[in-house]
Amino acid sequence: MKALRITLLCTLLLAACSKTDTVSFDYSINSPDGTLTAYFGVTPSGEPFYKLEREGKTVIAPSRLGFELTDGSDLRSGFVVTDVSFDSADETWQPVWGEEREIRNHYNEMLLTIEQQPEGILPPQSGVSATDPDYTGDPGNPSGKGAVIRLRFRLYDDGLGFRYEFPLENKLRYFNIAEELTEFAMSGDHIAWWISGDYDTQEYNYTRSRLSEIRNHSESMRLGNASATGFSDTGVQTALQLKTDSGLYINIHEAAVVNYPTTNLLLDDKHMVFRTWLTPDAEGVKGRMQAPCVTPWRTVMVVDDARKVLASRLILNLNEPCALDDVSWIHPVKYMGVWWEMITGKTQWSYTWNLPSVQLGVTDYSALKPHGQHGANNDNVRRYIDFAAANGFDAILVEGWNEGWEDWFGCQKDYVFDFVTPYPDFDLPALNKYAHEKGIRLVMHHETSSSTVNYERHMEAAYELMNRYGYDAVKSGYVGNIIPYGEHHYSQPVINHYMYALQHAADHHIMVNAHEAVRPTGLCRTWPNLIGNESAMGTEYRGRIDPGHSCVLPFTRLQGGPMDYTPGIFEQDMSITAPGQTGKMRHTLANQLGLYVTFYSPLQMAADLPENYERFPDAFQFIKDVAVDWDKSLYLEAEPGDYIVTARKPRLETLNSGRLSGKSGAYEFVYKDGREHDVWFVGGVCGENAHEATFSLDFLDPALLYEAVLYADGPDADYETAPQSYTITSSVVTAADKMTVKMARSGGFGLSLRSL
Ligand code: NOJ
Ligand code: CA
């Protein structure tokens, strides 16, 4: 292995030298604390390059920048630098909800303008060649300029963001991208936590391997999801987590993907160079651009401690500030759902077996024989509302409430749901009234079956229905192949659909939690009504989820925004939850408690069935108590795939706001005797190997005593043999104490700390 690695490094160095030894890196910036330096330069033939160093050592070796356009224009060379300016910022901003109350945005910026000479560049629109004898100038380009690109580099202490900007004074006015050619040249054969490159899904387990081994693993990653489109054996998705042999953690992702396709990364594993690989639209175009416009930010985080990856706010900081004037209607949500019983097969989304082909508006459901297993029936929904109200939750999601589930999947139907017509046994007005009387909101469900055209067609009426009956949150879903046919979940037109749905929802004061949509890139800063996304393999995969999956996601998927992972599964054996079904989940019960703290989401579900929680009321107490919106977050221990231990202090003003607040039992927990207690929650999870967490409580107020309640794996706990073995112990602790907590394989713990 060592010999192989030396060979690879030599190959890499040779490749780098032969291509880039003539780059003159004349422009650079340092991060505010001087740790990172980003360089930009061009070769004598005008090829733009950048590189990134940390404390003088290479993180990203010289890497190309540029594009190829569908009209053959080559935006990779012939550039000269015509301007450079520098700027910096050091400000704090307050997220509407988040892992902390204030976020510092502190960077140095370098903005370069590069221009290709006008000669030799084809006019973009006219179809007339500049060399044509009849050519008398380009009416599409009154600026008379060549292709002009601005490259904006923002360097933070923990990473780099850069993007391409296309100003109006430009040869490039309307242009189509064949490929973005941004490279990320690796400095070695790093360890990577990766999922296969795909245009349609992120619902995969992660593989940990050397970069050079990605090719050998890729086939095993194709799991046969409802919609999956791979493109290469060395294609991977972002956020990509890497670790170097010298112990640096590098994370490559993107921020603020707006009106542009999502990128995958394609690895040239001979030279260890990644490059962007955009998702094509139905005609193979990888971005239809109109100047002035910008690309998403390309991001490279680099830190020397895994905990700093979790603490980084790089992606959020690179997004635009909140676009909404009034955010008073946006609130955290702790919810349950008439959902897990469908996922596990105990009940169904559909109403009848007697209807192989639904004609919406024509089919008369009341004339059909129900199969008797419809989960979203009035009695069952009331049962959930009662349980949620009795245990202090905010909301109940109800899936399968609307007509169309008999042929929703696999049929590639355009007109699949109308989003407004309930099944005969779901009394929408009465159930909402019942819920509201008990302080509960119903969460709407809009499964689109990926027919985005159909969703847009019905969206206004669907949101109006929600407004009329007091729904303020929707879970949308995009299962299956996208309609319009040939589009992909991550292509530009579909990215624009998600944004359309989000902005339109904001107009209606509706919060959105989209499943199977594109993985987030920090847009929740700008649109805080995006309170959740799935966009990764979540609990619904049950026994197929690898131990350790939840120890990778905070490093990858959650870098872009919160995940509706749907934790809280106390019954791992599916045959108990849903008689007749098989399969076992691979985690301990205490692991599920830890997830409420290690996974940040302002939208947290207690996903298991009420009857499963009733069997473990003492452990359920932690789910009731734990907050979902935070004043501060501290990352006490972390290693991707192996373990994460996080401590968080609730935002008291959210809990005390009087509005729905993700409060659950925590509301009384905090204010039990009328005083404001100082409260912290700590959660831990670990992967395939057991882990002993050791951490100091020095984040507590040294002047106070705290009651600590620890929900931990029992001495014999094991995800295969004793997943439901747990212990609950109370003690009095101070800031001077240290805690040691043993986590079983795929185990975890929850700890609540309240000042006395
Ligand atoms: C997939 C989603 O992830 C899941 O939560 C939902 O229940 C089904 N689609 C049906 O919409
Ligand atoms: Ca899903």
Side-chain angles (χ1 to χ4, degrees), residues 339 343 349 399 405 408 445 447 475 479 515-516 534 540:
W339 175 72
I343 291 287
W349 284 272
E399 297 203 0
W405 286 91
W408 74 287
H445 184 229
E447 174 55 64
K475 170 181 172 180
V479 171
H515 278 221
E516 294 88 31
E534 183 195 44
E540 65 181 14

Side-chain angles (χ1 to χ4, degrees), residues 374-625:
H374 181 223
N377 68 74
N378 291 325
D379 287 347
N380 200 32
V381 175
R382 277 198 208 95
R383 180 173 75 95
Y384 275 84
I385 292 170
D386 291 346
F387 185 85
N391 289 286
F393 285 82
D394 297 314
I396 289 288
L397 164 74
V398 187
E399 297 203 0
W401 65 277
N402 56 327
E403 290 184 359
W405 286 91
E406 285 69 23
D407 63 359
W408 74 287
F409 180 67
C411 311
Q412 282 277 275
K413 267 176 80 170
D414 173 336
Y415 193 168
V416 54
F417 292 110
D418 69 8
F419 310 99
V420 294
T421 310
Y423 280 129
D425 58 351
F426 183 84
D427 188 338
L428 189 145
L431 287 169
N432 276 284
K433 185 162 177 289
Y434 185 78
H436 296 167
E437 283 166 5
K438 300 206 161 202
I440 299 287
R441 297 270 188 137
L442 296 188
V443 176
M444 175 51 82
H445 184 229
H446 290 164
E447 174 55 64
T448 68
S449 285
S450 286
S451 180
T452 60
V453 272
N454 186 51
Y455 193 27
E456 288 183 18
R457 187 185 284 149
H458 292 284
M459 196 176 281
E460 180 61 22
Y463 287 165
E464 269 180 15
L465 180 86
M466 290 179 61
N467 285 159
R468 197 171 330 131
Y469 292 103
Y471 290 88
D472 67 356
V474 62
K475 170 181 172 180
S476 55
Y478 295 86
V479 171
N481 293 332
I482 296 283
I483 302 174
Y485 304 104
E487 287 299 342
H488 294 290
H489 283 73
Y490 308 151
S491 65
Q492 185 183 20
V494 184
I495 298 289
N496 291 347
H497 163 81
Y498 305 132
M499 183 55 88
Y500 174 78
L502 185 62
Q503 294 180 345
H504 206 53
D507 291 343
H508 285 264
H509 287 193
I510 288 170
M511 300 180 287
V512 175
N513 165 29
H515 278 221
E516 294 88 31
V518 64
R519 80 281 188 283
T521 53
L523 290 169
C524 57
R525 176 180 178 188
T526 315
W527 299 96
N529 62 319
L530 183 59
I531 54 169
N533 268 123
E534 183 195 44
S535 315
M537 180 187 266
T539 304
E540 65 181 14
Y541 277 81
R542 291 157 283 155
R544 293 163 74 190
I545 301 174
D546 286 345
H549 185 59
S550 60
C551 297
V552 180
L553 287 170
F555 290 92
T556 53
R557 160 63 185 76
L558 276 87
Q559 286 295 314
M563 177 171 178
D564 186 29
Y565 185 73
T566 66
I569 304 303
F570 280 10
E571 182 49 74
Q572 299 78 7
D573 184 339
M574 295 302 113
S575 70
I576 296 176
T577 293
Q581 303 292 325
T582 54
K584 285 189 179 163
M585 297 192 73
R586 293 183 281 164
H587 61 249
T588 68
L589 189 150
N591 164 277
Q592 295 292 289
L593 300 182
L595 292 175
Y596 287 89
V597 191
T598 59
F599 268 125
Y600 171 64
S601 180
L603 174 82
Q604 278 290 23
M605 186 176 207
D608 211 334
L609 307 182
E611 50 269 42
N612 285 341
Y613 290 131
E614 275 162 350
R615 292 163 50 207
F616 306 97
D618 52 354
F620 187 47
Q621 187 65 40
F622 184 78
I623 300 181
K624 289 161 63 174
D625 290 343

Side-chain angles (χ1 to χ4, degrees), residues 32-33 88-91 104-108 155-158 317:
D33 71 357
S88 63
D90 187 3
E91 61 197 19
R104 186 175 181 194
N105 185 26
H106 190 197
Y107 62 82
N108 288 333
L155 197 55
Y156 293 77
D157 291 336
D158 59 4
N317 274 329

Side-chain angles (χ1 to χ4, degrees), residues 189-194 207-214 217:
D189 186 11
H190 307 321
I191 292 167
W193 287 264
W194 57 274
T207 298
R208 177 191 187 276
S209 78
R210 291 270 172 195
L211 293 174
S212 55
E213 292 163 348
I214 288 178
H217 283 284

